[in-house]
Amino acid sequence: MNSINSVPVLETERLVLRGHQISDFEDVAALWADPQVVERISGRPSTAEESWSRLLRYTGHWIQLGYGYWVVTDKQNRSFLGEIGFANYRRQMSPPLGNTPEAGWALKSAAHGKGYATEAVQAILNWADTTLEHDRTVCIMSPSNTASLSVARKVGYGNPQEASYKGENILMFERLKP
């Protein structure tokens, strides 16, 4: 099993991606309570209790699966910008994802529109290409989430398929390891 201390730190030109810490809770809770952030993800702000469970779930992924989510921070001042990573939520959706790692990202409202998501997603995909044993990753999103659709396409996600999750029509994209 992996140790939580084995979460790799990834750096880009403007960002540092690192593992979650308990001290990140207030930032995580604020991110997921922001109606603008969740508008095209869950559609409703998360409670502090739900955000606490999310934070613990992120760290559990690293321990059990060897991959998970990172905190995205500004390289200059280390301020919290959002979260990004891979997960296996065992979603009951059609078509099923199986054990394919699912990429996801969410940035706080003040960080939108600055290219941070594309930069961070590219960094985790570079990591995945050299580290994960899986031949592909997927991402799912609402067809109305134009910003995330753009990010997904820029970093190489393609082959969109219509899917259904919790009674909602979504799109599932895949990216094959080069």
Side-chain angles (χ1 to χ4, degrees), residues 7 19 23 25 35 41 43 49 55 57 62 76 87 89 94 98 112 114 116 122 127 130 137 140 158 162 172 177:
V7 177
S23 60
F25 174 66
I41 299 173
E49 179 182 346
L55 179 104
R57 184 171 58 222
W62 284 105
Q76 289 186 329
Y89 296 125
S94 178
H112 291 180
K114 298 179 180 177
Y116 292 141
Q122 189 60 64
W127 174 85
T130 60
T137 60
I140 64 172
E162 291 184 7
M172 179 178 68
K177 190 182 284 190

Side-chain angles (χ1 to χ4, degrees), residues 163-178:
S164 177
Y165 179 61
K166 293 186 175 180
E168 299 290 325
N169 292 327
I170 59 171
L171 291 174
M172 179 178 68
F173 293 81
E174 72 174 353
R175 180 182 176 276
L176 300 176
K177 190 182 284 190

Side-chain angles (χ1 to χ4, degrees), residues 30-46:
L31 174 72
W32 292 102
D34 182 342
Q36 189 177 349
V37 170
V38 300
E39 178 182 7
R40 289 184 170 80
I41 299 173
S42 67
R44 68 167 186 78
S46 295

Side-chain angles (χ1 to χ4, degrees), residues 5 12-13 32 39 44 47 50 68 80 86 118 120 125 128 131 138 142 153 166:
N5 295 327
T12 70
E13 182 180 331
W32 292 102
E39 178 182 7
R44 68 167 186 78
T47 65
E50 290 166 329
F80 179 94
F86 298 103
T118 301
L125 290 173
T131 307
V138 297
S142 165
R153 288 183 176 115
K166 293 186 175 180

Side-chain angles (χ1 to χ4, degrees), residues 53-166:
S53 292
R54 179 184 297 273
L55 179 104
L56 297 177
R57 184 171 58 222
Y58 290 154
T59 58
H61 267 81
W62 284 105
I63 293 167
Q64 298 298 328
L65 300 176
Y67 60 84
Y69 267 66
W70 288 266
V71 169
V72 179
T73 64
D74 181 286
K75 194 172 198 173
Q76 289 186 329
N77 62 23
R78 301 292 198 231
S79 64
F80 179 94
L81 297 176
E83 302 175 317
I84 185 168
F86 298 103
N88 181 343
Y89 296 125
R90 295 189 179 241
R91 294 187 194 272
Q92 301 211 353
M93 59 178 278
S94 178
L97 299 178
N99 286 323
T100 303
E102 174 190 337
W105 53 91
L107 297 178
K108 66 184 191 175
S109 299
H112 291 180
K114 298 179 180 177
Y116 292 141
T118 301
E119 190 172 328
V121 175
Q122 189 60 64
I124 69 166
L125 290 173
N126 292 344
W127 174 85
D129 288 345
T130 60
T131 307
L132 292 183
E133 295 178 6
H134 299 83
D135 291 332
R136 75 180 191 129
T137 60
V138 297
C139 62
I140 64 172
M141 63 196 72
S142 165
S144 67
N145 193 340
T146 56
S148 284
L149 289 169
S150 176
V151 169
R153 288 183 176 115
K154 285 178 187 176
V155 298
Y157 279 99
N159 192 27
Q161 297 178 5
E162 291 184 7
S164 177
Y165 179 61
K166 293 186 175 180

